[in-house]
């Protein structure tokens, strides 16, 4: 486009004496510009921001609008509002862009390759693969994809440990809040949200079976069909399952070309403009080198060959293809290996909503009445309904219920029940097809179990034909129900790669192997074995639950009926071990949640009579609890093993409804820890009702780091006026100021039982502290503690509690917990009681460093030890 008084494109323009303004020129050519600038709008927009022609806000307003034509319209509207000078510079910019495009010899070929690349990715991702999809059956992604809830949020350690059902309650809690504030649509993963800078590297995390891979399949398919992410000119999709096959140094270029040979002509231009490139890396938890990420070895050139782990690390660090965007997915248990400082946005994928579960049931049963009835049946079972929030389990539950409905059998109660019934349904079906194959099927299951167990030890989810042969696994229609096969092109041949259809299926078969083998070697239930094979905290949780469920009497009977098994002799020894472990954990207050799940899987009330701890301390903190976790806890407490001396719900994402459901078990609870949770006013009000009731015997209540404010503190003050049991109240890190805290000065004159209210880490100013001390009874100066002091006797109990909690924490939590203590509370402090306490902490850290098998975690522990040594 020319300026006023110059030649117009396409022929004669108005005569010289009819000079028009630049704004008028843009308005007259608006329709033509919308047609012409669509394929160049992103480049024009970037340049407009660089030369400060438009503001960053205006840039963001246009950048993430879906569709190039809409972008052009919006940008023209913005320019129109900015005046004549901006219009003139804008015309010069688009003329320059047009000239550059005309001079670029490969532009047509470039566009042609983009088109072909999108066609390839669309074809590869148009079909969804369900477990046991029949040969020739195609389930199109566009027809069957069920929406998933994505929630923005930093994945702290509270979310990392339990990976199967850990987000059930957390997602429900988030759904109760304003979804518009929290929910992220797939197309927004790289958009600016809530005034935050648009991210370059986004991590999507979710538990097993939650739909991470299917979500990425949907994203790739939609991009290929121009439905999302049109600001990216190219998209490269890798899975760590495929990358695990790389066993020699390789360049990024060759990694790309292995599956995208059609890009070889334009790959240079793709790498030259990384800002227009999106790289997807799916399944980091399956990466066989996930624990080796780090170091100072960077790959900076796409043609430079290097170890795969260095290529991945360099992409995440931005050393390789600086400016490219990266979308990474992982299970929570592997996140500790990811350099979190490189991640700009953390997103949790939380599976189906209740509405989507119902939609899934209707689709599965293909009959609205039957599907509705089955959905209602599942909704009435808290356990089954919670499982269905996870898409992979939703399918298995539907499969099992269909068989149970036909046979009029009892519905399953536990996770192992569901998988066992699922397995038996397949065995029954296969036996009907091949009546003489019963014995062979049992041997096939043994061989599959041996394979699953061996690969679990090696942290492998992929294996080859020679692995199948080594474990005598022969491919047939039955085995195909559990194994996926992928053909991979190698330089000199095509090789088949196998995996279980889902990692939980592999864990189930590994547990099956353990109970069938008289002496499985090595023994995964042995602590030394777990350390030797670097089994991270939580890695074997699901394996252990399956093991417990399979050793229960009802599942032994079920499996024996269908598999013709010999009598298993491990049940009694396992139950003895489980009882001893639960007893010990109750007595010392160690983390017990997974043991409670194992106890629940047994469904044997008589076991409770053999659990006789000296005291009952239940610590399930540092796990984001879901409804099933709460149900498991209530199931255990219902056994009436003893009075509940202590319940630790720290960092569990507990909400008001869950707290209320625990009310019957809190009558004799002496110490209740609810810290590091986002407790709302209703939750505090409920706890205050406990304090007001003469039936409850709370002596200590911990509410640290719950972000409660003035209103909540006033409610607590009112509840404490007549309370006769509470002795200590801990409210570290609150958001209250003088007006909320002042009420405790009156409590001290009416409540003679309460000895200590700890309110360190608050919003008080120096003058506020002076006023508070003036209003307190001088004889009770240690009642309201708003800051640390040199009084060793006053802080000795706190130091002992911190040390005890550290001893119970795993290494990840230990680093997180102590770092917060020293940076938020004790930074630059020099109290006389600190040196001895810090010395004990250093000794604990040194012991952890010596035993730690993760280089990354060891480095964090060493850095923390050095920090503490300065006090």
């Amino acid at each position: 486009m020319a300026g006023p008084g110059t030649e117009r494109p396409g022929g004669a323009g108005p005569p010289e004496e009819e000079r028009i303004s630049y704004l008028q020129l843009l308005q007259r050519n608006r329709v033509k510009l919308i047609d012409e600038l669509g394929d160049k709008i992103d480049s024009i927009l970037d340049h407009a921001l660089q030369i400060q022609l438009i503001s960053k806000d205006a840039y963001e307003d246009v950048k993430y609008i879906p569709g190039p034509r809409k972008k052009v319209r919006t940008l023209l509207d913005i320019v129109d509002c900015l005046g004549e000078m901006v219009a003139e510079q804008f015309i010069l910019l688009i003329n320059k862009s047009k000239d550059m495009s005309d001079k670029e010899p490969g532009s047509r070929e470039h566009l042609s390759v983009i088109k072909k690349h999108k066609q390839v990715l669309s074809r590869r991702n148009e079909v969804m693969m369900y477990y046991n999809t029949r040969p020739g059956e195609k389930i199109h992604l566009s027809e069957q994809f069920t929406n998933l809830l994505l929630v923005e949020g930093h994945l702290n350690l509270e979310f990392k440990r339990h990976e199967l059902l850990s987000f059930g309650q957390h997602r429900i809690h988030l759904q109760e809040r304003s979804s518009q504030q929290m929910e992220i649509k797939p197309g927004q993963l790289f958009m600016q949200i809530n005034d935050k800078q648009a991210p370059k590297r986004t991590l999507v995390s979710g538990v097993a079976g939650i739909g991470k891979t299917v979500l990425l399949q949907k994203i790739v398919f939609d991009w290929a069909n121009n439905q999302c992410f049109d600001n990216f000119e190219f998209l490269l999709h890798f899975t760590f399952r495929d990358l695990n096959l790389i066993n020699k140094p390789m360049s990024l270029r060759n990694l790309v070309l292995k599956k995208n040979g059609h890009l070889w002509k334009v790959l240079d231009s793709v790498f030259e403009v990384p800002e227009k490139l999106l790289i997807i890396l799916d399944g980091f938890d399956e990466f066989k080198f996930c624990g080796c990420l780090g170091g100072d070895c960077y790959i900076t050139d796409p043609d430079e060959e290097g170890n795969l782990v260095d290529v991945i690390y360099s992409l995440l660090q931005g050393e390789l293809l600086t400016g490219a965007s990266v979308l990474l997915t992982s299970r929570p248990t592997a996140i500790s290996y990811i350099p979190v400082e490189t991640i700009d946005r953390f997103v949790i994928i939380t599976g189906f909503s209740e509405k989507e579960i119902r939609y899934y049931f209707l689709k599965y049963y293909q009959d609205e009445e039957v599907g509705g009835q089955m959905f209602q049946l599942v909704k009435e079972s808290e356990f089954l309904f919670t499982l269905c929030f996870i898409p992979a389990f939703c399918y298995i539950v539907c499969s099992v219920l269909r068989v149970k409905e036909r046979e009029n059998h009892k519905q399953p109660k536990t996770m192992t029940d569901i998988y066992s019934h699922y397995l038996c349904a397949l065995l029954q079906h296969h036996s009907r097809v091949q009546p003489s194959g019963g014995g062979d099927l049992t041997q096939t299951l043994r061989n599959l179990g041996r394979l699953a167990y061996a690969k679990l030890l090696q942290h492998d989810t992929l294996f080859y034909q020679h692995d199948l042969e080594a474990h005598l696994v022969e491919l047939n229609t039955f085995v195909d129900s559990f194994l996926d096969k992928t053909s991979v092109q190698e330089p000199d041949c095509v090789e088949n790669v196998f995996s279980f259809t889902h990692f939980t299926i592999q864990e189930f078969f590994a547990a099956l192997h353990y109970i069938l083998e008289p002496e499985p070697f090595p023994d995964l239930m042995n602590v030394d074995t777990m350390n030797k094979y670097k089994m991270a905290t939580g890695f074997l949780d699901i394996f252990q639950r399956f093991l417990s469920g399979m050793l229960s009497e009802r599942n032994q009977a079920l499996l024996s009926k269908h598999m013709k098994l010999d009598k298993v002799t491990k049940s009694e020894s396992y139950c003895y071990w489980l009882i001893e472990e639960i007893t010990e954990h109750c007595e010392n207050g160690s983390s017990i949640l997974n043991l409670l799940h194992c106890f629940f899987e047994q469904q044997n009330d008589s076991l409770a009579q053999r659990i006789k701890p000296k005291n009952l301390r239940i610590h399930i903190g540092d796990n984001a609890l879901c409804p099933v976790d709460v149900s498991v806890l209530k199931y255990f407490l219902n056994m009436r093993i003893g009075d509940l001396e202590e319940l630790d719900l720290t960092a569990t994402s507990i909400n008001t409804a869950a707290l209320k459901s625990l009310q019957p078990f809190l009558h004799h609870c002496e110490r209740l820890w609810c810290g590091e949770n986002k407790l709302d006013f209703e939750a505090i009000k409920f706890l205050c009702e406990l304090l007001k009731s003469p039936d409850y015997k709370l002596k200590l209540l911990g509410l640290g780091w719950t972000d409660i404010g003035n209103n909540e503190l006033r409610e607590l003050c009112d509840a404490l006026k007549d309370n006769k049991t509470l002795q200590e109240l801990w409210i570290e890190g609150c958001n209250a100021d003088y007006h909320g805290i002042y009420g405790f000065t009156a409590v001290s004159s009416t409540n003679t039982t309460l000895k200590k209210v700890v309110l360190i880490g608050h919003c008080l100013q120096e003058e506020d502290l002076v006023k508070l001390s003036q209003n307190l009874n001088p004889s009770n100066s240690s009642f309201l503690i708003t800051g640390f002091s040199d009084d060793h006797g006053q802080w000795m109990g706190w130091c002992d509690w911190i040390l005890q909690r550290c001893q119970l924490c795993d290494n990840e939590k230990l680093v997180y917990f102590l770092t917060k203590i020293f940076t938020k509370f004790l930074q630059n402090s020099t109290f006389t009681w600190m040196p001895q306490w810090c010395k004990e902490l250093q000794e604990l850290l040194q012991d952890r460093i010596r035993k730690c098998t993760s280089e990354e975690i060891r480095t964090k522990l060493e850095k923390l030890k050095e920090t503490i040594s300065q006090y």
Side-chain angles (χ1 to χ4, degrees):
M1 179 185 294
T6 61
E7 183 181 356
R8 270 63 170 177
E16 194 71 25
E17 60 271 14
E18 296 180 16
R19 294 176 66 89
I20 62 174
S21 70
Y22 290 100
L23 284 172
Q24 289 172 323
L25 186 60
L26 288 175
Q27 291 162 1
R28 287 187 181 184
N29 289 273
R30 183 180 177 88
V31 175
K32 186 176 181 181
L33 288 170
I34 290 171
D35 289 334
E36 289 182 347
L37 301 184
D39 61 342
K40 298 186 283 289
I41 183 60
D42 287 324
S43 176
I44 291 171
L45 192 61
D46 291 342
H47 284 115
L49 179 64
Q50 289 174 9
I51 64 175
Q52 299 183 338
L53 190 64
I54 58 174
S55 68
K56 188 173 181 180
D57 288 341
Y59 173 86
E60 297 289 354
D61 287 342
V62 179
K63 184 73 174 177
Y64 300 108
I65 293 175
R69 293 173 66 84
K70 288 183 180 179
K71 286 185 180 181
V72 177
R73 290 193 193 98
T74 305
L75 183 56
L76 289 172
D77 291 341
I78 291 172
V79 172
D80 190 59
C81 296
L82 294 176
E84 184 69 9
M85 290 182 63
V86 173
E88 179 183 5
Q89 294 179 60
F90 182 70
I91 289 172
L92 292 173
L93 177 61
I94 60 179
N95 283 337
K96 181 180 179 181
S97 174
K98 184 175 182 301
D99 290 342
M100 292 294 292
S101 179
D102 291 341
K103 292 174 183 176
E104 188 179 341
S107 59
R108 285 189 178 180
E109 182 180 42
H110 192 79
L111 293 174
S112 175
V113 173
I114 292 176
K115 183 178 179 180
K116 181 175 181 179
H117 185 52
K118 289 188 173 185
Q119 290 172 343
V120 169
L121 293 185
S122 179
R123 173 177 50 78
R124 289 176 181 173
N125 292 278
E126 65 182 350
V127 174
M128 291 180 72
M129 294 301 296
Y130 283 109
Y131 307 127
N132 310 323
T133 301
R134 293 186 295 272
E137 182 181 14
K138 286 192 175 183
I139 304 170
H140 287 277
L141 183 71
S142 56
E143 297 173 1
Q144 293 291 321
F145 179 78
T146 304
N147 289 326
L148 299 159
L149 180 65
L150 305 176
V151 179
E152 183 178 19
H154 193 290
L155 228 67
N156 287 326
L157 286 162
E158 290 86 344
F159 297 92
K160 290 183 181 178
R161 295 177 56 191
H162 170 42
E163 62 174 270
L164 180 64
L165 299 172
S166 52
F167 296 112
Q169 182 164 309
H170 185 60
R171 76 183 303 287
I172 294 170
H173 177 59
L174 290 170
Q175 283 179 318
E176 290 172 351
R177 298 165 66 178
S178 171
S179 61
Q180 303 206 342
Q181 292 179 356
M182 305 298 296
E183 187 174 354
I184 295 178
K185 298 187 184 304
Q188 297 176 308
L189 288 172
F190 289 92
M191 286 178 60
Q192 181 184 26
I193 298 176
N194 297 333
D195 297 326
K196 296 179 182 176
Q197 187 175 355
K200 281 293 184 184
R201 293 166 194 84
T202 295
L203 170 63
V204 175
S205 176
V207 298
I210 202 72
K212 300 181 292 294
T213 296
V214 175
L215 172 69
L216 293 192
Q217 185 181 357
K218 174 69 171 169
I219 287 174
V220 174
F221 182 79
D222 283 350
W223 176 83
N225 289 278
N226 303 312
Q227 298 298 312
C228 74
F229 291 159
D230 56 356
N231 52 307
F232 294 117
E233 195 172 74
F234 274 95
L235 184 152
L236 299 174
H237 184 203
F238 300 97
T239 69
F240 281 99
R241 280 196 174 192
D242 289 340
L243 293 175
N244 282 339
L245 303 174
I246 308 299
N247 52 21
K248 61 181 179 181
M250 187 171 290
S251 67
L252 178 63
R253 181 185 299 275
N254 288 334
L255 281 176
V256 173
L257 293 178
K258 277 181 74 70
K259 292 187 71 172
N260 302 280
H262 54 278
L263 296 180
W264 71 274
K265 288 185 179 180
V266 299
L267 210 48
D268 284 336
S269 59
V270 172
F271 290 155
E272 285 173 5
V273 192
E275 293 77 13
K276 293 183 177 295
L277 174 62
L278 172 61
I279 299 173
I280 291 179
L281 300 169
D282 183 27
F284 178 77
D285 52 282
E286 298 181 15
F287 188 27
K288 62 184 178 182
F289 301 119
C290 68
C292 304
L293 215 60
D296 299 322
C297 184
Y298 294 119
I299 306 295
T300 58
D301 189 322
D303 290 309
E304 180 183 350
E305 289 192 347
N307 293 326
L308 181 61
V309 68
D310 294 328
V311 173
I312 300 300
Y313 185 60
S314 300
L315 280 172
L316 292 177
Q317 289 285 356
E319 298 287 338
L320 180 58
L321 295 185
T322 305
S325 296
V326 178
L327 178 56
L328 180 70
T329 72
S330 177
R331 283 188 185 188
T333 49
I335 290 177
S336 60
Y337 299 119
I338 298 172
V340 292
E341 70 278 1
T342 69
I343 304 300
D344 304 315
R345 173 168 290 160
F346 293 81
V347 174
I348 306 168
I349 177 171
T350 56
F352 289 157
S353 67
E354 180 177 331
K355 177 182 176 182
E356 288 148 359
I357 295 173
R358 187 176 188 280
Y359 172 82
Y360 188 97
F361 269 71
L362 296 179
K363 286 286 185 182
Y364 179 88
Y365 287 99
Q366 298 181 338
D367 183 305
E368 188 165 345
E369 183 178 353
V370 175
Q373 290 174 351
M374 286 298 179
F375 170 77
Q376 201 58 40
L377 177 68
V378 167
K379 191 175 179 183
E380 292 170 2
S381 168
E382 185 176 29
F383 177 79
L384 292 183
F385 190 56
T386 303
L387 278 180
C388 288
F389 283 107
I390 298 177
F393 292 163
C394 195
Y395 169 80
I396 292 178
V397 168
C398 286
S399 301
V400 169
L401 291 182
R402 172 176 277 177
V403 174
K404 295 297 107 184
E405 179 199 20
R406 293 171 182 165
E407 299 176 354
N408 294 319
H409 284 174
K410 290 182 180 180
Q411 302 299 342
K413 292 183 178 181
T414 74
M415 180 175 64
T416 311
D417 290 355
I418 292 171
Y419 274 64
S420 296
H421 282 289
Y422 179 61
L423 171 61
C424 290
L426 291 174
L427 284 168
Q428 199 170 13
H429 169 74
H430 195 78
S431 296
R432 282 197 299 265
V433 177
Q434 298 178 2
S436 62
D440 292 335
L441 287 183
T442 298
Q443 189 57 49
T444 298
L445 287 175
R446 288 179 179 270
N447 296 341
L448 276 172
R450 192 181 303 111
L451 172 67
Y453 191 81
K455 291 303 174 183
L456 188 66
L457 279 164
Q458 299 167 17
H459 296 257
D460 276 349
T461 54
L462 283 178
F463 30 91
Y464 297 85
Q465 183 68 43
H466 63 81
D467 293 310
L468 298 185
E469 294 170 357
H471 294 92
L472 306 178
V473 175
E474 297 181 3
L475 295 176
N476 53 45
T477 54
F478 178 71
V479 172
D480 289 345
S481 301
F482 305 106
L483 291 185
D484 282 337
K485 182 175 76 171
T486 304
S487 296
V488 178
Q489 179 67 57
E490 294 292 345
D492 54 349
C493 67
V494 174
E495 187 156 11
N496 292 326
V497 180
F498 301 87
S499 66
F500 284 90
T501 50
H502 196 270
F503 188 36
T504 53
I505 299 289
Q506 180 175 340
E507 292 166 304
F508 177 77
F509 272 102
L512 183 63
H513 169 78
Y514 190 93
I515 70 167
L516 294 178
E517 286 295 317
E519 296 181 1
F521 181 82
D523 186 347
L524 270 180
M525 296 296 288
N526 183 283
V527 175
D528 292 334
T529 300
M530 292 172 65
N531 291 333
K532 178 180 178 181
Y533 286 90
K534 299 181 180 180
M535 300 296 179
T537 303
F539 183 75
L540 292 178
D541 281 2
I542 311 307
F543 166 81
Q544 291 171 350
R545 294 181 198 182
F546 279 137
L547 178 60
S548 185
M550 286 186 198
L551 288 173
S552 67
E553 291 181 6
R554 69 193 184 287
N555 280 319
Q556 282 287 293
L558 175 70
L559 294 171
S560 296
K561 177 181 176 182
H562 291 275
M563 295 175 58
K564 301 178 182 179
L565 303 178
D566 297 330
K567 181 175 176 58
V568 177
T569 59
K570 292 183 180 178
S571 295
E572 184 54 37
S573 62
Y574 173 80
C575 288
Y576 177 81
W577 172 87
L578 182 61
I579 290 166
E580 289 292 306
E581 286 292 304
I582 291 176
T583 301
E584 181 182 344
H585 281 65
C586 286
E587 290 179 346
N588 63 26
S590 299
S591 183
I592 200 174
L593 181 59
N594 199 55
L595 287 172
L596 297 188
H597 272 279
C598 293
F599 181 79
F600 178 79
E601 289 287 342
Q602 282 283 315
Q603 289 291 301
N604 184 352
D605 295 355
S606 65
L607 288 181
Q609 300 172 10
R610 298 162 58 185
I611 301 175
K612 298 177 180 179
K614 296 175 183 177
N615 42 46
L616 187 59
R617 298 170 58 198
I618 304 297
H619 169 38
I620 56 174
D622 306 319
N623 296 275
L625 299 182
C626 70
V628 170
D629 295 324
V630 178
S631 296
V632 165
L633 173 62
K634 291 191 292 183
Y635 174 81
F636 179 74
L637 294 176
N638 228 5
M639 298 292 109
R640 305 296 178 186
I641 290 168
D643 288 343
L644 184 56
E645 181 178 313
E646 181 176 69
L647 178 59
D648 191 342
L649 300 172
T650 304
T652 54
S653 296
I654 198 84
N655 64 9
T656 307
L659 279 172
K660 287 183 176 180
S661 73
L662 293 171
Q663 182 173 356
F665 308 104
L666 298 177
H667 279 83
H668 300 286
C669 181
E670 295 184 0
R671 297 190 297 276
L672 177 61
W673 299 96
C674 296
E676 298 181 45
N677 293 299
K678 300 291 184 182
L679 298 183
D680 57 16
F681 183 78
E682 287 301 312
I684 298 300
K685 190 174 180 180
F686 165 73
L687 292 173
C688 288
E689 290 173 3
L690 300 186
L691 294 172
K692 290 178 181 178
S693 171
D695 296 331
Y696 291 87
K697 310 300 181 185
L698 279 178
K699 293 182 180 179
L700 182 150
L701 178 59
L703 298 171
W705 298 98
T706 51
D707 291 335
I708 60 178
N710 290 344
N711 291 336
E712 290 80 7
L713 288 193
R714 292 190 187 103
E715 196 75 15
L716 282 167
C717 288
D718 182 62
L720 289 169
K721 288 178 181 177
D722 300 315
N723 177 273
K724 302 301 181 184
T725 62
L726 198 70
Q727 298 175 9
E728 295 184 35
L729 178 62
W730 291 77
I731 322 178
E732 312 100 305
C734 69
N735 282 330
D737 57 23
Y738 177 80
H739 301 288
I741 296 173
Y742 173 76
F744 284 103
T745 60
V747 171
S748 64
S749 61
T750 59
N751 187 318
T752 58
T753 310
L754 187 61
K755 303 299 182 184
K756 184 186 297 184
V757 178
V758 180
L759 273 157
I760 50 179
H762 40 61
C763 301
L764 293 178
Q765 306 298 319
E766 279 296 327
E767 56 270 23
D768 297 330
L769 294 172
V770 174
K771 286 191 290 183
L772 282 174
S773 63
Q774 292 172 346
N775 283 282
L776 276 172
N777 186 333
S779 63
N780 199 9
S781 58
S782 62
F783 172 77
L784 185 62
I785 301 171
T786 53
F788 286 98
S789 69
D790 235 347
D791 186 343
H792 181 259
Q794 181 170 287
W795 292 104
M796 184 170 59
W798 182 81
C799 291
D800 290 343
W801 177 78
I802 295 294
L803 188 61
Q804 179 192 30
R805 179 125 195 245
C806 289
Q807 289 168 341
L808 299 176
C809 287
D810 62 27
N811 288 335
E812 293 179 52
K813 180 64 182 180
L814 179 64
V815 172
Y816 169 74
F817 181 60
L818 282 183
T819 299
K820 182 169 67 175
I821 292 295
F822 279 88
T823 57
K824 298 291 185 181
F825 286 165
L826 295 172
Q827 194 170 28
N828 301 321
S829 298
T830 55
F831 300 109
T832 54
W833 48 266
M834 285 187 65
Q836 178 58 34
W837 178 59
C838 289
K839 182 180 178 182
E840 294 178 45
L841 290 175
Q842 290 177 67
E843 291 173 355
L844 171 64
L845 288 170
Q846 185 58 47
D847 183 59
R848 293 295 185 91
I849 291 168
R850 181 174 55 82
K851 296 177 180 178
C852 184
T853 56
S854 167
E855 185 175 345
E856 182 186 3
I857 298 298
R858 191 187 309 115
T859 300
K860 291 180 179 179
L861 289 168
E862 289 171 344
K863 185 177 180 181
L864 179 60
K865 180 174 177 285
E866 183 180 349
T867 299
I868 294 177
S869 68
Q870 299 171 9
Y871 286 86

